[in-house]
Amino acid sequence: MPEHVLGIDEGSTGVRAYVFDGQGVSVGTAYQEIARTHPRPGWCEHDPVAIVNATVKVARLATERAGLQPSDLCALGVATQRASCLVWERATGRPLYPAIGWQDLRTTQTCEELARKGVLINPMMSASKFKWVLDHTDCRRRAPGELCFGTLDSWIVWNLTGGAHVTDHSNASCTGLYDFFNNAWDTAMLEILGLSQDSLPTMAETSHVVAETKRSALGAPIPVGALAGDQQAAMFGQLCFNPGSIKASYGTSAMVDLNVGERFLLSPHGAYPLVLWKIAGQIAYCLEGTAITAGAALQWLRDNLGMVSDVAEIDRLAASVPDSAGVWCLPAFQGLGTPYLDPRARANIGGISLATTRAHIARAILESIALRCRQVVEALKADVTDAETAFLRVDGGAARSEVLMQLQADLLGIAVERPEILDAAALGAAYLAGLATGAWKSREELQGVWRRERLFEPKIGEAEREERYRRWLQNVQAWRPPAG
């Protein structure tokens, strides 16, 4: 029986594929960027066809680089950016509008109007985006059965399998259309928004074979053994199986997730309750806090300002100075997440003097990401007072930054554990798919395959840590305009 598993991670800026062997070792990988367009301020769109083409390309290339044939794969798992969504024709598979990215804020006013009526939907969830597509295309003139609404996992699997319209509970829970009490689509919310359940995908378990790929897609029929939201897949890839375990993923945004077990919890501190996964009939939940801008701030320095030629240069610059020399930053380029939940907030860099250099700005931005993540961790700890936060497992592209990881350990006062595989979402998708098809027999077996690359421990004392945090909060509060 083949033992190699393919893990696919379709993120906000690119899609990556890994082939893992039975020991959890990456034996082949490939990556391709995915273009984003911003037709108006606050809007974010993707080309749906380009996403599928990139997914097929990297899956085939990773398999080839592993020295394998597609038939050598026992399963594949798919993790995706979650609340990004699109609508397509069921008969032809033709998208009726570009994929709207989860960061897109075009429905902020709609969500505020609904909130005044007691209907709470975040503009970064799929629900209001689906309504927007209905209201701005000819979709309302079509019968619900003619349309497919889905997040990107549904779209990718539809194309890889030739028509399976399916999602899992972790992805569904991020749409704003999920009934957490019945673990099904929320019929009341669908009615409020004028959406039809007939257009939505079937919900499957997170680790479960939902279909096989068509031969023309990847070269052989391969069982699709897992669908998961990228952050939930990353939690599984970081082995955060137990209640109280916590991880942070430093991608376009920084997402911090806390496993709360089988209890569904609401947060008064700006965190989102989500399904972690449904496996063997059991549902686990998490609370998720978001620092909306993380890696995107580093890309801004490179792409918009031209301050560096590559993101790695930011780390080298930041390491060249002992501190930011009074420069501070609020990285709210796309609004503020936990605990503020303020989509209208914008970034600020302050404390600049004639002595300020590129290095000080680079360090201030890295420090601001670590400070925002501390805010998020504090919010989660306030929600779950018995959370075990003795260490933080990290992943994502920005976790490569030695400076950022050390700042995170210093400002949290706990150890930061970085794994060998930084794309924990792809690893988690592979783990989940491998469990569904027998490549790995149990979660206990996975404990022996996961590998740590480095441990960062705090190098400053509590007094200095708290003073730096206090000063930053003071700057943020002085700059932020009053709510409303």
Side-chain angles (χ1 to χ4, degrees):
M1 177 182 174
E3 65 170 12
H4 291 85
V5 184
L6 175 66
I8 296 171
D9 176 22
E10 197 289 303
S12 300
T13 55
V15 58
R16 190 178 298 277
Y18 285 85
V19 175
F20 298 99
D21 66 15
Q23 299 303 310
V25 175
S26 171
V27 294
T29 185
Y31 173 79
Q32 182 170 319
E33 284 195 2
I34 293 174
R36 293 179 295 176
T37 58
H38 302 277
R40 299 182 188 179
W43 289 31
C44 178
E45 296 179 354
H46 303 268
D47 179 345
V49 175
I51 287 174
V52 172
N53 290 341
T55 302
V56 170
K57 180 179 178 180
V58 297
R60 283 178 171 266
L61 190 54
T63 305
E64 179 184 323
R65 288 174 175 172
L68 302 173
Q69 297 297 319
S71 57
D72 294 325
L73 301 174
C74 71
L76 69 85
V78 180
T80 54
Q81 48 165 310
R82 300 164 303 182
S84 298
C85 58
L86 65 157
V87 180
W88 65 95
E89 290 179 335
R90 188 180 296 273
T92 66
R94 180 176 67 90
L96 299 178
Y97 192 82
I100 300 178
W102 67 270
Q103 299 160 298
D104 188 287
L105 298 174
R106 73 185 67 188
T107 62
T108 297
Q109 184 175 344
T110 299
C111 292
E112 290 172 347
E113 292 169 357
L114 288 168
R116 287 192 284 272
K117 299 175 183 178
V119 180
L120 301 180
I121 301 177
N122 188 292
M124 289 187 290
M125 293 180 174
S126 311
S128 61
K129 303 181 197 300
F130 284 140
K131 182 180 185 303
W132 190 94
V133 175
L134 280 177
D135 292 342
H136 292 83
T137 65
D138 69 347
C139 288
R140 290 213 184 268
R141 296 197 294 271
R142 298 171 181 248
E146 297 178 18
L147 303 175
C148 289
F149 286 66
T151 43
L152 289 186
D153 62 313
S154 302
W155 169 244
I156 289 170
V157 171
W158 172 280
N159 283 275
L160 291 182
T161 63
H165 192 28
V166 62
T167 189
D168 89 303
H169 289 258
S170 72
N171 278 293
S173 72
C174 301
T175 62
L177 299 173
Y178 189 79
D179 180 344
F180 285 91
F181 299 101
N182 294 301
N183 300 117
W185 294 117
D186 188 332
T187 54
M189 187 64 74
L190 293 173
E191 184 175 352
I192 289 168
L193 297 177
L195 303 173
S196 171
Q197 188 167 330
D198 292 341
S199 299
L200 294 173
T202 301
M203 275 188 235
E205 293 203 351
T206 308
S207 179
H208 179 76
V209 176
V210 297
E212 284 189 342
T213 63
K214 56 186 180 181
R215 183 176 296 275
S216 59
L218 299 181
I222 304 167
V224 180
L227 300 177
D230 53 5
Q231 300 309 313
Q232 291 96 323
M235 282 286 277
F236 205 87
Q238 292 280 42
L239 307 188
C240 293
F241 303 146
N242 298 322
S245 53
I246 188 169
K247 70 86 188 158
S249 297
Y250 299 82
T252 303
S253 299
M255 318 290 272
V256 185
D257 293 84
L258 175 67
N259 186 329
V260 298
E262 296 180 9
R263 51 180 176 167
F264 170 67
L265 294 179
L266 293 171
S267 167
H269 300 101
Y272 300 104
L274 299 172
V275 173
L276 262 180
W277 44 70
K278 182 177 182 181
I279 301 175
Q282 297 296 312
I283 287 187
Y285 297 93
C286 69
L287 285 175
E288 181 171 282
T290 309
I292 295 175
T293 307
L298 308 183
Q299 291 175 322
W300 173 78
L301 286 177
R302 180 193 66 185
D303 300 338
N304 293 52
L305 296 191
M307 200 179 87
V308 294
S309 57
D310 58 62
V311 173
E313 188 179 350
I314 297 171
D315 210 42
R316 294 192 293 271
L317 279 172
S320 71
V321 291
D323 55 51
S324 66
V327 180
W328 66 275
C329 175
L330 176 64
F333 290 85
Q334 299 144 301
L336 278 170
T338 309
Y340 303 101
L341 299 185
D342 180 1
R344 299 185 186 277
R346 289 297 175 262
N348 190 43
I349 299 177
I352 295 174
S353 72
L354 290 175
T356 299
T357 67
R358 292 190 308 149
H360 295 126
I361 292 173
R363 191 172 185 94
I365 286 184
L366 289 176
E367 187 171 38
S368 73
I369 295 169
L371 286 161
R372 280 288 294 123
C373 287
R374 166 157 176 181
Q375 272 194 308
V376 174
V377 170
E378 293 288 331
L380 295 175
K381 287 169 65 177
D383 289 328
V384 185
T385 55
D386 60 347
E388 296 179 8
T389 53
F391 65 92
L392 176 74
R393 281 191 171 164
V394 298
D395 59 83
R400 292 186 178 90
S401 168
E402 303 283 312
V403 175
L404 176 57
M405 294 299 96
Q406 187 58 56
L407 284 168
Q408 194 66 83
D410 289 343
L411 292 167
L412 279 175
I414 60 175
V416 168
E417 194 172 19
R418 187 169 68 185
E420 284 186 1
I421 303 294
L422 282 179
D423 199 329
L427 180 62
Y431 282 170
L432 287 159
L435 286 174
T437 55
W440 294 291
K441 304 301 181 186
S442 67
R443 299 184 195 185
E444 290 71 26
E445 185 177 348
L446 294 176
Q447 298 281 355
V449 232
W450 189 90
R451 297 171 184 85
R452 182 173 75 192
E453 182 264 333
R454 182 171 172 188
L455 187 70
F456 297 84
E457 300 197 69
K459 292 182 178 179
I460 64 174
E462 182 177 0
E464 181 182 350
R465 173 167 49 254
E466 296 307 315
E467 176 60 18
R468 286 165 64 175
Y469 186 50
R470 184 196 66 78
R471 285 200 310 267
W472 180 77
L473 284 177
Q474 190 176 50
N475 287 331
V476 169
Q477 290 161 1
W479 177 80
R480 285 189 73 233

